C-alpha cells in the first residue's frame, strides 16, 4: 500500500514539475518568433508611417527620429471624411449583399451536392464550381462590361453585388458541401421517417449543426468581396466606388503621400481582421470539421 501511494505521489510530482526544454524547443520558439515578427512587421511599419506627417524612409523610431501625430487620421475623417464614409458605405453594402447572395445559394447548393446524386456526377459539379476560382477574373471582365451595359447595371449596387457574389459563390459551395457531407446521414433519415419534409430536415436539423461552416463561409465571402478591386475599377467609376479604389487613388500632385496611403490601408484591412477575430473559433471549427476521422 505504501509503495503504491509513493508511486502515485511520484507520478503527480513529475506531472506538476516543469519540464526542461531541449535545444530543439528553443530553436522552434526562436523560429516561431522570427516568423511572427516578419508577418506582423508590415502592419507595424504601416501604423508607424500613418503617424508621420512628414514621411522619411529612415525614420522608424517614434519620439526619437520623429514625433508621432494624428494629422493623417484627422485628414481622413476630417476634410476628406465625406469621401471616406461614402466609400466605406459602398464597400459595406456591396460586401454584405454579395455575402448574403453567395452564402444563401452556396448553402443550398452545398446541401444538395452532399445529400443527393445527380446524373452528371457530383464530382463533376464540384469540380465545375472549383474551376470558377481557377479561371482568371480578367478573362470575364469584358463580358461583364457588355452585359452590364445592356442591362443598365454599370456603376450600380445590384451590379456590384452580382459580380462579387459570382466569384465568391464557389467558396461557400465547397465549404458547406464538405461540412454537410460529414454530418451523420442517420439524422436526416430519422427526420424523413418521422414525416419531416426535405426542406424541414435541412432547415431544422442540418443548418443549425452547420453553423460553424456557415460562419466561416460568410466571413471568407465577405473578405473577398471587401477586397475586390479589379471589377470595381471598371464597373464602378463614380457613385459606387468601394474603399479599395479609394486606397488606390491616394496620390497627390507631389507624388504618393505614404502616411495618408497607410492610414487608408489600415482602415481597409481592419474590418475583415476584426471580424475574423470575433468569430475565430467558428472559423477554425468550420474549416477543420471532418479533417480528422477514425
Amino acid at each position: 500500500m505504501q509503495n503504491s501511494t509513493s508511486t502515485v505521489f511520484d507520478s503527480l510530482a513529475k506531472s506538476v514539475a516543469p519540464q526542461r526544454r531541449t535545444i530543439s524547443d528553443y530553436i522552434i520558439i526562436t523560429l516561431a518568433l522570427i516568423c511572427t515578427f516578419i508577418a506582423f512587421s508590415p502592419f507595424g511599419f504601416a501604423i508607424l508611417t500613418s503617424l508621420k506627417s512628414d514621411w522619411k524612409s529612415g525614420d522608424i523610431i517614434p519620439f526619437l527620429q520623429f514625433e508621432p501625430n494624428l494629422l493623417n487620421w484627422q485628414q481622413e475623417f476630417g476634410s476628406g471624411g465625406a469621401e471616406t464614409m461614402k466609400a466605406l458605405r459602398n464597400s459595406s453594402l456591396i460586401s454584405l449583399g454579395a455575402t448574403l447572395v453567395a452564402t444563401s445559394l452556396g448553402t443550398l447548393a452545398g446541401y444538395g451536392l452532399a445529400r443527393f446524386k445527380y446524373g452528371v456526377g457530383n464530382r463533376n459539379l464540384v469540380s465545375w464550381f472549383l474551376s470558377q476560382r481557377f479561371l482568371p477574373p480578367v478573362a470575364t471582365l469584358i463580358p461583364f462590361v457588355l452585359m452590364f451595359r445592356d442591362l443598365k447595371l454599370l456603376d450600380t449596387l445590384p451590379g456590384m453585388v452580382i459580380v462579387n457574389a459570382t466569384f465568391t459563390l464557389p467558396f461557400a459551395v465547397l465549404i458547406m458541401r464538405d461540412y454537410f457531407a460529414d454530418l451523420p446521414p442517420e439524422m436526416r433519415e430519422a427526420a424523413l421517417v418521422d414525416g419531416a419534409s426535405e426542406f424541414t430536415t435541412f432547415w431544422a436539423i442540418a443548418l443549425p449543426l452547420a453553423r460553424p461552416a456557415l460562419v466561416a463561409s460568410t466571413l471568407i465571402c465577405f473578405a473577398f468581396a471587401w477586397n475586390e478591386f479589379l471589377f470595381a475599377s471598371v464597373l464602378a467609376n463614380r457613385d459606387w466606388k468601394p474603399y479599395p479604389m479609394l486606397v488606390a487613388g491616394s496620390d497627390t500632385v507631389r507624388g504618393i503621400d505614404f502616411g495618408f496611403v497607410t492610414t487608408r490601408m489600415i482602415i481597409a484591412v481592419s474590418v475583415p481582421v476584426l471580424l475574423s477575430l470575433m468569430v475565430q473559433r467558428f472559423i477554425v471549427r468550420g474549416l477543420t470539421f471532418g479533417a480528422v476521422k477514425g
Side-chain angles (χ1 to χ4, degrees):
M1 182 70 180
Q2 186 176 0
N3 293 334
S4 61
T5 305
S6 62
T7 303
V8 171
F9 279 111
D10 291 340
S11 60
L12 289 175
K14 291 181 180 180
S15 62
V16 174
Q19 298 180 355
R20 294 183 178 180
R21 297 187 182 275
T22 62
I23 297 178
S24 60
D25 293 334
Y26 287 108
I27 293 176
I28 294 174
I29 293 174
T30 303
L31 292 176
L33 292 175
I34 293 174
C35 293
T36 303
F37 175 78
I38 294 175
F40 283 95
S41 58
F43 299 99
F45 181 77
I47 294 174
L48 290 177
T49 305
S50 68
L51 299 177
K52 299 178 185 178
S53 57
D54 185 15
W55 186 84
K56 293 181 181 179
S57 59
D59 297 344
I60 59 175
I61 303 177
F63 300 106
L64 292 179
Q65 295 179 322
F66 71 95
E67 190 68 25
N69 58 75
L70 298 175
L71 292 179
N72 293 318
W73 293 89
Q74 292 173 356
Q75 183 179 359
E76 179 67 13
F77 292 101
S79 58
E83 185 182 18
T84 299
M85 297 308 297
K86 181 179 179 180
L88 288 174
R89 183 210 65 177
N90 293 346
S91 287
S92 300
L93 293 177
I94 292 170
S95 301
L96 290 174
T99 301
L100 179 62
V101 172
T103 305
S104 300
L105 296 178
T107 302
L108 294 173
Y111 183 80
L113 290 172
R115 294 306 183 200
F116 304 105
K117 302 296 182 182
Y118 299 93
V120 294
N122 288 29
R123 286 182 176 271
N124 294 332
L125 290 174
V126 173
S127 299
W128 181 83
F129 277 109
L130 187 61
S131 66
Q132 305 307 302
R133 293 306 309 176
F134 293 153
L135 180 69
V138 70
T140 62
L141 185 59
I142 300 302
F144 267 112
V145 172
L146 298 178
M147 287 190 298
F148 282 13
R149 182 195 62 185
D150 296 337
L151 296 174
K152 309 297 182 184
L153 291 176
L154 288 175
D155 201 18
T156 61
L157 177 60
M160 296 304 300
V161 168
I162 291 173
V163 72
N164 280 279
T166 301
F167 286 95
T168 56
L169 178 61
F171 293 109
V173 173
L174 295 175
I175 293 174
M176 299 306 298
R177 182 257 178 192
D178 290 342
Y179 201 95
F180 284 132
D182 288 328
L183 292 178
E186 291 80 7
M187 294 187 298
R188 170 177 172 268
E189 296 171 358
L192 294 176
V193 169
D194 290 340
S197 64
E198 193 65 58
F199 182 78
T200 302
T201 304
F202 162 75
W203 185 261
I205 298 177
L207 192 59
L209 294 175
R211 185 174 60 176
L214 187 62
V215 173
S217 63
T218 298
L219 183 61
I220 291 175
C221 292
F222 181 87
F224 271 87
W226 179 272
N227 296 326
E228 205 286 318
F229 174 78
L230 175 63
F231 287 94
S233 63
V234 178
L235 301 178
N237 52 17
R238 187 181 60 183
D239 294 331
W240 286 96
K241 292 193 301 183
Y243 198 76
M245 287 188 63
L246 195 67
V247 178
S250 303
D251 54 353
T252 64
V253 294
R254 296 177 297 174
I256 300 177
D257 188 346
F258 288 97
F260 195 47
V261 172
T262 52
T263 301
R264 288 184 168 180
M265 186 205 75
I266 293 171
I267 296 174
V269 171
S270 62
V271 175
V273 169
L274 291 176
L275 288 176
S276 63
L277 292 176
M278 291 171 58
V279 294
Q280 182 179 8
R281 64 187 183 95
F282 291 102
I283 298 175
V284 174
R285 184 182 175 190
L287 295 179
T288 58
F289 184 83
V292 180
K293 295 182 180 180

